Amino acid sequence: MSRLNGMLLSEVEIMDIQVERVTKKEAKPKPDQNSLGFGRYFSDHMLVMRYTEDQGWHDAKIQPYRNFSLDPAAMVLHYGQAIFEGMKAYRAKDGGIYLFRPADNIERMNCSAARLCMPQLPVDEVVAALKELLRLDQAWIPSVKGATLYIRPTMIATEAALGVRSAKEYLFFVILSPVGAYYPEGFNPVKIYVTDKYVRAVPGGVGNIKTAGNYAASIMAAVEAQQAGFTQVLWLDAVERRYIEEVGTMNIFFVIGEELITPPLSGSILPGITRDSVIQLAKEWGLAVVERRISIDEVLAAQENGALKEIFGTGTAAVISPVGSLHYKGRDFLINNGKTGDLSQKFFDEIMDIQYGDKVASCAWAIRL
Ligand SMILES: *Cc1c(COP(=O)(O)O)cnc(C)c1O
């Protein structure tokens, strides 16, 4: 077994997680479930685990949520070796708890780690430790429909050293944040600004992994779009500025004629788990689903000749986000009269039902705790 792949410890040792519980006094009051917003509250406990070249992953611990101490020379602060994931725990009607394809998130994190020369995580052990953390903090999983407990696994380089290279020490942690329903008053189609001024990712770059720098680099385009009255940015490819890549931090789908079209995983697009779920469901439903390059000109031509029926984004936070209009080169294009399309609604309902354990997916996507 290679040291670099981070699996020096046996399963038994990893699973032997120390648990330090909060004292009654340290336990935080739970926020009002009806005004959670996104990412504003954090649960009582967190999972932490350290990596060194000598020991591999070690010191797996569930401990009270608290500050870290980091050396000012910690390499993440200078050279940006930081990766993360986003997933959710769902409270079923009967009180049970579900996760949606959790191993896929940890496997994707390993792809991110590989690209940035960070150590591999032991997938099964991390999922088991995450379940342990969720059992301890289960009272933080909201029961209001649509509200969830957002899960944020993160890995950063902690070695104190200057000089650009791969670090020798890392910290992995998982924090939990109760979040409100994305659509408290039902589906709300968004207004999208198509930018040809900024790009998100380049071929050969890091657009296909969840690394912190990608999001830092996207903020300016988002700010300019918001100042102009739009909700999100639609990104075009970096080379020709013609082909569609993603919308905000979501993958994107088009219903044109009888086809469901989404850009292929070309290397500069994030391989979304919701994207993959939509593709698989579409195939099960007998829809014609195509992964191919699609240009903004083709989309707008289809809008003008009436063939474009729906556009929607996909991601863990919103599940499905219908697009109501596109703004490109000073012109506005209304999509499906600014209304939520039937297919967008159908995917939303189906995936939500699976995530909340109301319906069983054919590929056992939802895992009951
Ligand atoms: C996380 C993310 C997505 C969506 O991925 P899911 O696994 O569906 O949540 C899409 N695009 C970007 C840029 C992302 O960061």
Side-chain angles (χ1 to χ4, degrees):
M1 212 181 321
S2 135
R3 289 190 165 208
L4 265 183
N5 79 8
M7 288 190 243
L8 281 179
L9 293 181
S10 73
E11 185 173 336
V12 176
E13 282 169 294
I14 285 265
M15 286 315 301
D16 196 16
I17 301 175
Q18 291 177 48
V19 180
E20 179 195 344
R21 287 169 189 256
V22 290
T23 60
K24 273 226 175 71
K25 239 174 85 192
E26 282 173 321
K28 293 180 263 193
K30 309 274 184 311
D32 174 7
Q33 286 200 33
N34 294 302
S35 54
L36 289 170
F38 187 86
R40 294 194 290 136
Y41 303 98
F42 298 95
S43 74
D44 280 330
H45 297 91
M46 64 202 283
L47 171 68
V48 296
M49 184 163 77
R50 301 246 165 214
Y51 177 91
T52 56
E53 266 192 354
D54 292 346
Q55 288 179 271
W57 288 110
H58 61 279
D59 262 0
K61 234 186 270 177
I62 289 172
Q63 60 169 65
Y65 186 102
R66 63 164 84 103
N67 291 353
F68 298 127
S69 104
L70 272 185
D71 192 295
M75 289 175 79
V76 64
L77 302 175
H78 305 272
Y79 311 115
Q81 274 179 302
I83 57 176
F84 63 89
E85 272 302 325
M87 57 210 282
K88 287 172 168 178
Y90 308 84
R91 172 84 68 193
K93 284 194 198 101
D94 68 357
I97 298 159
Y98 286 90
L99 288 169
F100 185 71
R101 308 181 65 175
D104 292 0
N105 285 92
I106 306 306
E107 269 158 23
R108 184 170 67 189
M109 196 165 195
N110 275 342
C111 294
S112 301
R115 177 64 179 81
L116 297 191
C117 299
M118 298 167 82
Q120 294 289 290
L121 289 162
V123 176
D124 295 346
E125 287 84 342
V126 167
V127 171
L130 169 62
K131 288 182 180 168
E132 204 53 48
L133 174 66
L134 287 168
R135 270 181 214 112
L136 190 60
D137 273 353
Q138 56 180 284
W140 287 85
I141 305 173
S143 49
V144 165
K145 177 78 187 182
T148 55
L149 188 67
Y150 188 79
I151 302 167
R152 172 51 59 85
T154 310
M155 193 197 298
I156 58 172
T158 50
E159 185 193 351
L162 298 183
V164 180
R165 59 170 169 78
S166 155
K168 295 189 176 81
E169 291 165 22
Y170 295 87
L171 176 68
F172 171 76
F173 59 92
V174 181
I175 54 175
L176 308 174
S177 174
V179 301
Y182 206 87
Y183 300 107
E185 288 112 32
F187 251 169
N188 206 359
V190 289
K191 292 172 68 182
I192 300 293
Y193 184 89
V194 183
T195 179
D196 52 6
K197 182 173 167 196
Y198 302 106
V199 295
R200 196 189 81 88
V202 298
V206 291
N208 57 347
I209 64 167
K210 272 180 138 55
T211 182
N214 283 340
Y215 306 87
S218 75
I219 292 170
M220 185 175 259
V223 167
E224 288 185 12
Q226 273 152 23
Q227 281 168 352
F230 299 92
T231 318
Q232 295 264 16
V233 173
L234 187 147
W235 304 99
L236 300 176
D237 80 281
V239 178
E240 297 185 55
R241 309 236 174 150
R242 273 178 60 197
Y243 294 100
I244 286 164
E245 299 231 309
E246 302 199 50
V247 54
T249 56
M250 289 184 287
N251 296 112
I252 190 163
F253 286 80
F254 303 87
V255 184
I256 298 180
E258 297 306 309
E259 278 185 340
L260 180 63
I261 303 164
T262 193
L265 299 178
S266 56
S268 50
I269 291 175
L270 203 285
I273 291 162
T274 320
R275 174 188 182 278
D276 182 72
S277 305
V278 163
I279 291 173
Q280 287 197 48
L281 285 174
K283 286 180 180 164
E284 279 177 32
W285 294 346
L287 299 173
V289 44
V290 195
E291 294 176 65
R292 67 159 170 90
R293 296 229 285 180
I294 178 164
S295 70
I296 184 68
D297 305 311
E298 180 185 344
V299 170
L300 298 180
Q303 191 269 356
E304 286 180 322
N305 73 25
L308 174 64
K309 294 178 184 158
E310 299 180 34
I311 305 179
F312 59 89
T314 65
T316 296
V319 188
I320 301 290
S321 178
V323 172
S325 67
L326 293 179
H327 181 92
Y328 181 58
K329 291 196 193 290
R331 290 180 64 195
D332 286 292
F333 298 83
L334 204 59
I335 313 301
N336 194 36
N337 284 317
K339 302 249 160 51
T340 296
D342 294 343
L343 204 55
S344 306
Q345 185 75 53
K346 190 174 172 190
F347 280 120
F348 180 74
D349 293 341
E350 181 78 7
I351 294 173
M352 287 275 282
D353 281 352
I354 295 169
Q355 289 171 334
Y356 281 84
D358 292 333
K359 214 173 208 178
V360 178
S362 55
C363 354
W365 284 336
I367 291 168
R368 194 172 167 110
L369 215 67

